[in-house]
Amino acid sequence: MISSKFARPIAWLLLAAIIFVTLSPIGLRPHTITSVNLDRALAYVLVGFMFATAYPRHWIAVAFLLVAGALAIEYLQYLSPTRHARLHDAAVKILGASLGVSIGCLLNKIRIAKSAANLSRP
């Protein structure tokens, strides 16, 4: 399992990449073989997972801030003439972030339970 020491810079770099891709002109958006909605969801699942792993004691704040951040980043697209903000896109991002934080929390609980079990062994 990745430690929070390594997860923190990865989480922040992923968030920076999401912000860049979301707010840059549409021509700079990377093209993938999956649908745009799947790209959005997977990006936010990954960033949610990494932030939950990076800050395991603050998962509620992480979840709240990722939801607020997804809304804010989507809203900031109004500043770009080549981008368009849509509630549907924000909802996909919020669902992805929520799933990622949930998976991260679950794995954090498993990791804590395993370490507690190892400490209680003679």
Side-chain angles (χ1 to χ4, degrees), residues 63-109:
F64 176 77
L65 291 172
L66 285 176
V67 167
L71 290 169
I73 291 168
E74 193 66 26
Y75 186 75
L76 284 172
Q77 287 187 17
Y78 283 118
L79 300 177
S80 175
T82 63
R83 302 308 292 258
H84 56 279
R86 294 190 312 180
L87 188 57
H88 173 266
D89 296 349
V92 169
K93 293 172 183 180
I94 289 168
L95 289 172
S98 300
L99 179 61
V101 170
S102 298
I103 293 168
C105 286
L106 178 63
L107 292 178
N108 284 335
K109 288 181 188 275

mmCIF file of all heavy atoms in Angstrom, residues 63-109:
data_model
loop_
_atom_site.group_PDB
_atom_site.id
_atom_site.type_symbol
_atom_site.label_atom_id
_atom_site.label_comp_id
_atom_site.label_asym_id
_atom_site.label_seq_id
_atom_site.Cartn_x
_atom_site.Cartn_y
_atom_site.Cartn_z
ATOM 1 N N ALA A 63 -13.262 14.699 0.963
ATOM 2 C CA ALA A 63 -14.457 14.486 0.139
ATOM 3 C C ALA A 63 -15.174 15.809 -0.123
ATOM 4 O O ALA A 63 -15.535 16.105 -1.272
ATOM 5 C CB ALA A 63 -15.387 13.482 0.818
ATOM 6 N N PHE A 64 -15.367 16.592 0.911
ATOM 7 C CA PHE A 64 -16.049 17.882 0.766
ATOM 8 C C PHE A 64 -15.283 18.802 -0.182
ATOM 9 O O PHE A 64 -15.881 19.436 -1.069
ATOM 10 C CB PHE A 64 -16.226 18.550 2.132
ATOM 11 C CG PHE A 64 -16.829 19.916 2.039
ATOM 12 C CD1 PHE A 64 -18.186 20.089 1.810
ATOM 13 C CD2 PHE A 64 -16.030 21.047 2.170
ATOM 14 C CE1 PHE A 64 -18.739 21.360 1.706
ATOM 15 C CE2 PHE A 64 -16.570 22.316 2.071
ATOM 16 C CZ PHE A 64 -17.929 22.468 1.843
ATOM 17 N N LEU A 65 -13.977 18.894 -0.006
ATOM 18 C CA LEU A 65 -13.183 19.795 -0.834
ATOM 19 C C LEU A 65 -13.109 19.334 -2.281
ATOM 20 O O LEU A 65 -13.084 20.165 -3.200
ATOM 21 C CB LEU A 65 -11.786 19.972 -0.239
ATOM 22 C CG LEU A 65 -11.765 20.750 1.075
ATOM 23 C CD1 LEU A 65 -10.377 20.717 1.702
ATOM 24 C CD2 LEU A 65 -12.221 22.182 0.855
ATOM 25 N N LEU A 66 -13.088 18.030 -2.522
ATOM 26 C CA LEU A 66 -13.084 17.547 -3.898
ATOM 27 C C LEU A 66 -14.420 17.813 -4.589
ATOM 28 O O LEU A 66 -14.454 18.158 -5.777
ATOM 29 C CB LEU A 66 -12.732 16.066 -3.957
ATOM 30 C CG LEU A 66 -11.258 15.735 -3.732
ATOM 31 C CD1 LEU A 66 -11.043 14.231 -3.713
ATOM 32 C CD2 LEU A 66 -10.381 16.383 -4.789
ATOM 33 N N VAL A 67 -15.505 17.683 -3.851
ATOM 34 C CA VAL A 67 -16.819 18.008 -4.423
ATOM 35 C C VAL A 67 -16.892 19.500 -4.726
ATOM 36 O O VAL A 67 -17.283 19.915 -5.833
ATOM 37 C CB VAL A 67 -17.958 17.564 -3.477
ATOM 38 C CG1 VAL A 67 -19.284 18.161 -3.895
ATOM 39 C CG2 VAL A 67 -18.047 16.041 -3.433
ATOM 40 N N ALA A 68 -16.505 20.323 -3.766
ATOM 41 C CA ALA A 68 -16.519 21.773 -3.983
ATOM 42 C C ALA A 68 -15.549 22.155 -5.099
ATOM 43 O O ALA A 68 -15.854 23.024 -5.927
ATOM 44 C CB ALA A 68 -16.162 22.503 -2.689
ATOM 45 N N GLY A 69 -14.399 21.502 -5.129
ATOM 46 C CA GLY A 69 -13.411 21.777 -6.169
ATOM 47 C C GLY A 69 -13.912 21.400 -7.556
ATOM 48 O O GLY A 69 -13.675 22.121 -8.526
ATOM 49 N N ALA A 70 -14.598 20.271 -7.659
ATOM 50 C CA ALA A 70 -15.157 19.856 -8.955
ATOM 51 C C ALA A 70 -16.158 20.892 -9.450
ATOM 52 O O ALA A 70 -16.164 21.251 -10.640
ATOM 53 C CB ALA A 70 -15.809 18.482 -8.833
ATOM 54 N N LEU A 71 -16.989 21.369 -8.558
ATOM 55 C CA LEU A 71 -17.959 22.410 -8.936
ATOM 56 C C LEU A 71 -17.249 23.702 -9.338
ATOM 57 O O LEU A 71 -17.609 24.342 -10.334
ATOM 58 C CB LEU A 71 -18.929 22.674 -7.790
ATOM 59 C CG LEU A 71 -19.932 21.556 -7.500
ATOM 60 C CD1 LEU A 71 -20.656 21.816 -6.181
ATOM 61 C CD2 LEU A 71 -20.915 21.411 -8.646
ATOM 62 N N ALA A 72 -16.247 24.088 -8.568
ATOM 63 C CA ALA A 72 -15.522 25.324 -8.846
ATOM 64 C C ALA A 72 -14.756 25.239 -10.171
ATOM 65 O O ALA A 72 -14.786 26.182 -10.974
ATOM 66 C CB ALA A 72 -14.554 25.639 -7.704
ATOM 67 N N ILE A 73 -14.092 24.115 -10.399
ATOM 68 C CA ILE A 73 -13.337 23.947 -11.641
ATOM 69 C C ILE A 73 -14.284 23.963 -12.841
ATOM 70 O O ILE A 73 -13.985 24.561 -13.875
ATOM 71 C CB ILE A 73 -12.505 22.644 -11.587
ATOM 72 C CG1 ILE A 73 -11.375 22.787 -10.558
ATOM 73 C CG2 ILE A 73 -11.933 22.304 -12.954
ATOM 74 C CD1 ILE A 73 -10.682 21.486 -10.226
ATOM 75 N N GLU A 74 -15.418 23.318 -12.691
ATOM 76 C CA GLU A 74 -16.408 23.324 -13.774
ATOM 77 C C GLU A 74 -16.906 24.751 -14.024
ATOM 78 O O GLU A 74 -17.019 25.183 -15.170
ATOM 79 C CB GLU A 74 -17.566 22.392 -13.425
ATOM 80 C CG GLU A 74 -18.470 22.082 -14.578
ATOM 81 C CD GLU A 74 -17.818 21.280 -15.676
ATOM 82 O OE1 GLU A 74 -16.855 20.531 -15.426
ATOM 83 O OE2 GLU A 74 -18.277 21.402 -16.830
ATOM 84 N N TYR A 75 -17.171 25.474 -12.966
ATOM 85 C CA TYR A 75 -17.655 26.856 -13.095
ATOM 86 C C TYR A 75 -16.599 27.756 -13.752
ATOM 87 O O TYR A 75 -16.940 28.657 -14.527
ATOM 88 C CB TYR A 75 -18.057 27.405 -11.729
ATOM 89 C CG TYR A 75 -18.685 28.767 -11.808
ATOM 90 C CD1 TYR A 75 -19.989 28.930 -12.256
ATOM 91 C CD2 TYR A 75 -17.960 29.903 -11.464
ATOM 92 C CE1 TYR A 75 -20.567 30.183 -12.352
ATOM 93 C CE2 TYR A 75 -18.522 31.158 -11.555
ATOM 94 C CZ TYR A 75 -19.824 31.294 -11.996
ATOM 95 O OH TYR A 75 -20.384 32.544 -12.097
ATOM 96 N N LEU A 76 -15.320 27.508 -13.459
ATOM 97 C CA LEU A 76 -14.249 28.336 -14.026
ATOM 98 C C LEU A 76 -14.151 28.194 -15.542
ATOM 99 O O LEU A 76 -13.531 29.026 -16.202
ATOM 100 C CB LEU A 76 -12.910 27.978 -13.378
ATOM 101 C CG LEU A 76 -12.693 28.512 -11.964
ATOM 102 C CD1 LEU A 76 -11.424 27.929 -11.367
ATOM 103 C CD2 LEU A 76 -12.653 30.029 -11.964
ATOM 104 N N GLN A 77 -14.769 27.172 -16.090
ATOM 105 C CA GLN A 77 -14.753 27.013 -17.544
ATOM 106 C C GLN A 77 -15.490 28.147 -18.246
ATOM 107 O O GLN A 77 -15.294 28.380 -19.433
ATOM 108 C CB GLN A 77 -15.351 25.668 -17.947
ATOM 109 C CG GLN A 77 -14.439 24.509 -17.647
ATOM 110 C CD GLN A 77 -14.977 23.209 -18.199
ATOM 111 O OE1 GLN A 77 -15.851 23.188 -19.049
ATOM 112 N NE2 GLN A 77 -14.438 22.115 -17.713
ATOM 113 N N TYR A 78 -16.345 28.853 -17.519
ATOM 114 C CA TYR A 78 -17.016 30.016 -18.106
ATOM 115 C C TYR A 78 -16.015 31.094 -18.511
ATOM 116 O O TYR A 78 -16.313 31.945 -19.346
ATOM 117 C CB TYR A 78 -18.042 30.614 -17.128
ATOM 118 C CG TYR A 78 -19.323 29.841 -17.046
ATOM 119 C CD1 TYR A 78 -19.716 29.252 -15.851
ATOM 120 C CD2 TYR A 78 -20.153 29.701 -18.150
ATOM 121 C CE1 TYR A 78 -20.905 28.539 -15.759
ATOM 122 C CE2 TYR A 78 -21.344 28.992 -18.076
ATOM 123 C CZ TYR A 78 -21.706 28.415 -16.879
ATOM 124 O OH TYR A 78 -22.875 27.706 -16.797
ATOM 125 N N LEU A 79 -14.826 31.079 -17.926
ATOM 126 C CA LEU A 79 -13.809 32.076 -18.242
ATOM 127 C C LEU A 79 -13.086 31.781 -19.548
ATOM 128 O O LEU A 79 -12.402 32.654 -20.086
ATOM 129 C CB LEU A 79 -12.787 32.163 -17.106
ATOM 130 C CG LEU A 79 -13.339 32.553 -15.736
ATOM 131 C CD1 LEU A 79 -12.231 32.517 -14.696
ATOM 132 C CD2 LEU A 79 -13.996 33.917 -15.790
ATOM 133 N N SER A 80 -13.208 30.568 -20.045
ATOM 134 C CA SER A 80 -12.528 30.175 -21.274
ATOM 135 C C SER A 80 -13.513 30.183 -22.434
ATOM 136 O O SER A 80 -14.556 29.536 -22.370
ATOM 137 C CB SER A 80 -11.928 28.772 -21.119
ATOM 138 O OG SER A 80 -11.374 28.341 -22.341
ATOM 139 N N PRO A 81 -13.177 30.894 -23.508
ATOM 140 C CA PRO A 81 -14.119 30.960 -24.629
ATOM 141 C C PRO A 81 -14.279 29.636 -25.374
ATOM 142 O O PRO A 81 -15.265 29.441 -26.080
ATOM 143 C CB PRO A 81 -13.516 32.034 -25.532
ATOM 144 C CG PRO A 81 -12.089 32.124 -25.159
ATOM 145 C CD PRO A 81 -11.993 31.714 -23.720
ATOM 146 N N THR A 82 -13.319 28.726 -25.226
ATOM 147 C CA THR A 82 -13.406 27.451 -25.952
ATOM 148 C C THR A 82 -13.984 26.329 -25.115
ATOM 149 O O THR A 82 -14.102 25.206 -25.588
ATOM 150 C CB THR A 82 -12.016 27.013 -26.459
ATOM 151 O OG1 THR A 82 -11.155 26.791 -25.335
ATOM 152 C CG2 THR A 82 -11.423 28.064 -27.375
ATOM 153 N N ARG A 83 -14.321 26.599 -23.874
ATOM 154 C CA ARG A 83 -14.836 25.549 -22.984
ATOM 155 C C ARG A 83 -16.269 25.865 -22.598
ATOM 156 O O ARG A 83 -16.741 26.992 -22.733
ATOM 157 C CB ARG A 83 -13.975 25.446 -21.712
ATOM 158 C CG ARG A 83 -12.501 25.157 -21.937
ATOM 159 C CD ARG A 83 -12.233 23.961 -22.815
ATOM 160 N NE ARG A 83 -12.612 22.714 -22.229
ATOM 161 C CZ ARG A 83 -11.785 21.840 -21.673
ATOM 162 N NH1 ARG A 83 -10.506 22.092 -21.628
ATOM 163 N NH2 ARG A 83 -12.242 20.720 -21.171
ATOM 164 N N HIS A 84 -16.965 24.881 -22.082
ATOM 165 C CA HIS A 84 -18.344 25.078 -21.633
ATOM 166 C C HIS A 84 -18.558 24.294 -20.341
ATOM 167 O O HIS A 84 -18.137 23.141 -20.230
ATOM 168 C CB HIS A 84 -19.343 24.634 -22.703
ATOM 169 C CG HIS A 84 -19.148 23.218 -23.128
ATOM 170 N ND1 HIS A 84 -18.192 22.857 -24.047
ATOM 171 C CD2 HIS A 84 -19.762 22.075 -22.746
ATOM 172 C CE1 HIS A 84 -18.226 21.548 -24.213
ATOM 173 N NE2 HIS A 84 -19.164 21.047 -23.442
ATOM 174 N N ALA A 85 -19.161 24.938 -19.392
ATOM 175 C CA ALA A 85 -19.461 24.302 -18.106
ATOM 176 C C ALA A 85 -20.843 23.663 -18.191
ATOM 177 O O ALA A 85 -21.772 24.242 -18.735
ATOM 178 C CB ALA A 85 -19.433 25.342 -17.001
ATOM 179 N N ARG A 86 -20.939 22.434 -17.666
ATOM 180 C CA ARG A 86 -22.232 21.750 -17.643
ATOM 181 C C ARG A 86 -22.401 21.046 -16.309
ATOM 182 O O ARG A 86 -21.448 20.489 -15.761
ATOM 183 C CB ARG A 86 -22.337 20.730 -18.778
ATOM 184 C CG ARG A 86 -22.337 21.383 -20.145
ATOM 185 C CD ARG A 86 -22.669 20.441 -21.245
ATOM 186 N NE ARG A 86 -21.886 19.217 -21.138
ATOM 187 C CZ ARG A 86 -21.979 18.215 -21.993
ATOM 188 N NH1 ARG A 86 -22.819 18.276 -22.989
ATOM 189 N NH2 ARG A 86 -21.241 17.145 -21.850
ATOM 190 N N LEU A 87 -23.605 21.070 -15.814
ATOM 191 C CA LEU A 87 -23.914 20.416 -14.545
ATOM 192 C C LEU A 87 -23.671 18.907 -14.638
ATOM 193 O O LEU A 87 -23.193 18.292 -13.679
ATOM 194 C CB LEU A 87 -25.359 20.716 -14.135
ATOM 195 C CG LEU A 87 -25.772 20.270 -12.745
ATOM 196 C CD1 LEU A 87 -24.856 20.877 -11.689
ATOM 197 C CD2 LEU A 87 -27.211 20.659 -12.470
ATOM 198 N N HIS A 88 -23.975 18.338 -15.784
ATOM 199 C CA HIS A 88 -23.748 16.900 -15.975
ATOM 200 C C HIS A 88 -22.269 16.548 -15.794
ATOM 201 O O HIS A 88 -21.930 15.548 -15.155
ATOM 202 C CB HIS A 88 -24.228 16.465 -17.372
ATOM 203 C CG HIS A 88 -23.875 15.062 -17.693
ATOM 204 N ND1 HIS A 88 -22.732 14.723 -18.376
ATOM 205 C CD2 HIS A 88 -24.499 13.890 -17.396
ATOM 206 C CE1 HIS A 88 -22.672 13.408 -18.502
ATOM 207 N NE2 HIS A 88 -23.732 12.879 -17.909
ATOM 208 N N ASP A 89 -21.380 17.351 -16.339
ATOM 209 C CA ASP A 89 -19.944 17.116 -16.201
ATOM 210 C C ASP A 89 -19.522 17.193 -14.736
ATOM 211 O O ASP A 89 -18.729 16.367 -14.260
ATOM 212 C CB ASP A 89 -19.147 18.131 -17.017
ATOM 213 C CG ASP A 89 -19.395 18.023 -18.506
ATOM 214 O OD1 ASP A 89 -20.015 17.026 -18.941
ATOM 215 O OD2 ASP A 89 -18.972 18.942 -19.229
ATOM 216 N N ALA A 90 -20.045 18.182 -14.033
ATOM 217 C CA ALA A 90 -19.738 18.321 -12.606
ATOM 218 C C ALA A 90 -20.234 17.104 -11.831
ATOM 219 O O ALA A 90 -19.547 16.619 -10.927
ATOM 220 C CB ALA A 90 -20.351 19.598 -12.050
ATOM 221 N N ALA A 91 -21.412 16.597 -12.174
ATOM 222 C CA ALA A 91 -21.961 15.426 -11.480
ATOM 223 C C ALA A 91 -21.078 14.201 -11.698
ATOM 224 O O ALA A 91 -20.833 13.422 -10.756
ATOM 225 C CB ALA A 91 -23.381 15.155 -11.957
ATOM 226 N N VAL A 92 -20.580 14.021 -12.916
ATOM 227 C CA VAL A 92 -19.682 12.892 -13.202
ATOM 228 C C VAL A 92 -18.411 13.014 -12.374
ATOM 229 O O VAL A 92 -17.927 12.032 -11.794
ATOM 230 C CB VAL A 92 -19.363 12.819 -14.713
ATOM 231 C CG1 VAL A 92 -18.240 11.837 -15.005
ATOM 232 C CG2 VAL A 92 -20.615 12.450 -15.497
ATOM 233 N N LYS A 93 -17.874 14.221 -12.281
ATOM 234 C CA LYS A 93 -16.658 14.455 -11.499
ATOM 235 C C LYS A 93 -16.911 14.194 -10.014
ATOM 236 O O LYS A 93 -16.082 13.581 -9.327
ATOM 237 C CB LYS A 93 -16.169 15.886 -11.713
ATOM 238 C CG LYS A 93 -15.695 16.143 -13.121
ATOM 239 C CD LYS A 93 -15.410 17.616 -13.357
ATOM 240 C CE LYS A 93 -14.999 17.858 -14.790
ATOM 241 N NZ LYS A 93 -14.721 19.263 -15.052
ATOM 242 N N ILE A 94 -18.047 14.639 -9.516
ATOM 243 C CA ILE A 94 -18.385 14.441 -8.101
ATOM 244 C C ILE A 94 -18.559 12.959 -7.785
ATOM 245 O O ILE A 94 -18.070 12.469 -6.762
ATOM 246 C CB ILE A 94 -19.643 15.250 -7.736
ATOM 247 C CG1 ILE A 94 -19.305 16.744 -7.722
ATOM 248 C CG2 ILE A 94 -20.222 14.812 -6.402
ATOM 249 C CD1 ILE A 94 -20.510 17.653 -7.668
ATOM 250 N N LEU A 95 -19.231 12.235 -8.664
ATOM 251 C CA LEU A 95 -19.389 10.791 -8.455
ATOM 252 C C LEU A 95 -18.039 10.082 -8.474
ATOM 253 O O LEU A 95 -17.781 9.201 -7.650
ATOM 254 C CB LEU A 95 -20.323 10.196 -9.506
ATOM 255 C CG LEU A 95 -21.789 10.555 -9.364
ATOM 256 C CD1 LEU A 95 -22.578 10.056 -10.570
ATOM 257 C CD2 LEU A 95 -22.358 9.975 -8.080
ATOM 258 N N GLY A 96 -17.180 10.462 -9.397
ATOM 259 C CA GLY A 96 -15.848 9.870 -9.462
ATOM 260 C C GLY A 96 -15.035 10.148 -8.207
ATOM 261 O O GLY A 96 -14.420 9.245 -7.637
ATOM 262 N N ALA A 97 -15.035 11.402 -7.771
ATOM 263 C CA ALA A 97 -14.292 11.760 -6.559
ATOM 264 C C ALA A 97 -14.835 11.015 -5.342
ATOM 265 O O ALA A 97 -14.064 10.518 -4.515
ATOM 266 C CB ALA A 97 -14.349 13.267 -6.335
ATOM 267 N N SER A 98 -16.153 10.914 -5.244
ATOM 268 C CA SER A 98 -16.768 10.208 -4.110
ATOM 269 C C SER A 98 -16.386 8.739 -4.103
ATOM 270 O O SER A 98 -16.082 8.174 -3.051
ATOM 271 C CB SER A 98 -18.287 10.348 -4.163
ATOM 272 O OG SER A 98 -18.655 11.696 -4.103
ATOM 273 N N LEU A 99 -16.397 8.121 -5.281
ATOM 274 C CA LEU A 99 -16.002 6.711 -5.371
ATOM 275 C C LEU A 99 -14.533 6.547 -4.999
ATOM 276 O O LEU A 99 -14.168 5.627 -4.252
ATOM 277 C CB LEU A 99 -16.271 6.185 -6.782
ATOM 278 C CG LEU A 99 -15.886 4.728 -7.033
ATOM 279 C CD1 LEU A 99 -16.678 3.795 -6.116
ATOM 280 C CD2 LEU A 99 -16.114 4.370 -8.494
ATOM 281 N N GLY A 100 -13.685 7.428 -5.491
ATOM 282 C CA GLY A 100 -12.256 7.349 -5.176
ATOM 283 C C GLY A 100 -11.973 7.519 -3.691
ATOM 284 O O GLY A 100 -11.180 6.772 -3.107
ATOM 285 N N VAL A 101 -12.633 8.475 -3.054
ATOM 286 C CA VAL A 101 -12.458 8.676 -1.608
ATOM 287 C C VAL A 101 -12.974 7.453 -0.852
ATOM 288 O O VAL A 101 -12.344 6.997 0.104
ATOM 289 C CB VAL A 101 -13.159 9.972 -1.143
ATOM 290 C CG1 VAL A 101 -13.202 10.064 0.369
ATOM 291 C CG2 VAL A 101 -12.460 11.195 -1.720
ATOM 292 N N SER A 102 -14.085 6.901 -1.283
ATOM 293 C CA SER A 102 -14.640 5.713 -0.620
ATOM 294 C C SER A 102 -13.684 4.532 -0.710
ATOM 295 O O SER A 102 -13.461 3.830 0.285
ATOM 296 C CB SER A 102 -15.985 5.325 -1.248
ATOM 297 O OG SER A 102 -16.920 6.356 -1.085
ATOM 298 N N ILE A 103 -13.124 4.307 -1.884
ATOM 299 C CA ILE A 103 -12.155 3.208 -2.044
ATOM 300 C C ILE A 103 -10.929 3.466 -1.184
ATOM 301 O O ILE A 103 -10.421 2.550 -0.515
ATOM 302 C CB ILE A 103 -11.774 3.043 -3.529
ATOM 303 C CG1 ILE A 103 -12.974 2.558 -4.337
ATOM 304 C CG2 ILE A 103 -10.602 2.082 -3.685
ATOM 305 C CD1 ILE A 103 -12.770 2.638 -5.847
ATOM 306 N N GLY A 104 -10.449 4.702 -1.180
ATOM 307 C CA GLY A 104 -9.289 5.039 -0.351
ATOM 308 C C GLY A 104 -9.559 4.830 1.126
ATOM 309 O O GLY A 104 -8.722 4.289 1.859
ATOM 310 N N CYS A 105 -10.748 5.219 1.591
ATOM 311 C CA CYS A 105 -11.111 5.031 2.999
ATOM 312 C C CYS A 105 -11.183 3.553 3.346
ATOM 313 O O CYS A 105 -10.707 3.140 4.410
ATOM 314 C CB CYS A 105 -12.446 5.698 3.297
ATOM 315 S SG CYS A 105 -12.343 7.473 3.390
ATOM 316 N N LEU A 106 -11.770 2.773 2.463
ATOM 317 C CA LEU A 106 -11.876 1.334 2.695
ATOM 318 C C LEU A 106 -10.493 0.701 2.796
ATOM 319 O O LEU A 106 -10.222 -0.079 3.720
ATOM 320 C CB LEU A 106 -12.687 0.679 1.580
ATOM 321 C CG LEU A 106 -12.853 -0.835 1.668
ATOM 322 C CD1 LEU A 106 -13.627 -1.216 2.923
ATOM 323 C CD2 LEU A 106 -13.556 -1.355 0.425
ATOM 324 N N LEU A 107 -9.618 1.049 1.882
ATOM 325 C CA LEU A 107 -8.264 0.495 1.940
ATOM 326 C C LEU A 107 -7.492 0.999 3.154
ATOM 327 O O LEU A 107 -6.685 0.251 3.727
ATOM 328 C CB LEU A 107 -7.521 0.795 0.645
ATOM 329 C CG LEU A 107 -8.063 0.064 -0.582
ATOM 330 C CD1 LEU A 107 -7.288 0.461 -1.826
ATOM 331 C CD2 LEU A 107 -8.016 -1.441 -0.399
ATOM 332 N N ASN A 108 -7.729 2.228 3.569
ATOM 333 C CA ASN A 108 -7.095 2.738 4.791
ATOM 334 C C ASN A 108 -7.555 1.939 6.008
ATOM 335 O O ASN A 108 -6.753 1.601 6.885
ATOM 336 C CB ASN A 108 -7.415 4.216 4.998
ATOM 337 C CG ASN A 108 -6.621 5.111 4.085
ATOM 338 O OD1 ASN A 108 -5.544 4.761 3.616
ATOM 339 N ND2 ASN A 108 -7.166 6.285 3.801
ATOM 340 N N LYS A 109 -8.855 1.626 6.083
ATOM 341 C CA LYS A 109 -9.381 0.839 7.201
ATOM 342 C C LYS A 109 -8.788 -0.560 7.211
ATOM 343 O O LYS A 109 -8.462 -1.099 8.274
ATOM 344 C CB LYS A 109 -10.897 0.786 7.154
ATOM 345 C CG LYS A 109 -11.558 2.096 7.508
ATOM 346 C CD LYS A 109 -13.063 1.972 7.477
ATOM 347 C CE LYS A 109 -13.708 3.317 7.634
ATOM 348 N NZ LYS A 109 -13.880 3.753 8.980
#
